[in-house]
Amino acid sequence: MRSARQILADAKVIAVVGASRDPAKPAHSVPLHMLRHGWHVIPVNPFVDEVFGQRAYRTLADIRESVDLVDIFRPAADAVEIVRQAISIKIPAVWLQSGIVSAEARRIATDAGVDYVEDRCVMVERAAAGLTRLA
């Protein structure tokens, strides 16, 4: 298993499940921060067409490009199904944001050989490691 820092360093494309149009929510500000630091961010939200100027997809399976990391901004109860979806389309890493923990999602990811992080923020980890994708 790669460390959180290594997962972010290796990732170029992040699919954000639960991305929000509401600028007051972390599910908007965190992915926007990653976008501004050079990651390609793909919002996944079945209720919107676009988030922070990026086309939104209804599900992970609808995305037609390679994804390096799924960042989950959904309740822990939803994480298990999202992790299963990520595994089914061969996404190599999943990340549950701060406050989201699921022993079952962790077990499923680990059993499938998928890198797994939970209860941590990609924005905080990016800043702490000094990572950027900007030239």
Side-chain angles (χ1 to χ4, degrees), residues 75-95:
D78 296 346
V80 171
E81 181 55 31
I82 297 165
V83 168
R84 285 188 177 122
Q85 291 172 22
I87 291 166
S88 75
I89 58 174
K90 307 210 181 315
I91 295 175
V94 294
W95 189 302

Side-chain angles (χ1 to χ4, degrees), residues 28-80:
H28 180 89
S29 59
V30 171
L32 182 60
H33 174 88
M34 298 305 285
L35 184 68
R36 289 180 175 162
H37 280 274
W39 278 264
H40 175 46
V41 175
I42 302 172
V44 179
N45 182 326
F47 305 108
V48 300
D49 295 326
E50 182 180 289
V51 180
F52 32 81
Q54 306 295 311
R55 176 184 174 196
Y57 292 84
R58 295 184 56 76
T59 69
L60 289 171
D62 294 331
I63 300 170
R64 296 292 171 229
E65 61 186 284
S66 180
V67 173
D68 303 308
L69 171 63
V70 172
D71 187 18
I72 301 173
F73 280 91
R74 298 290 305 144
D78 296 346
V80 171

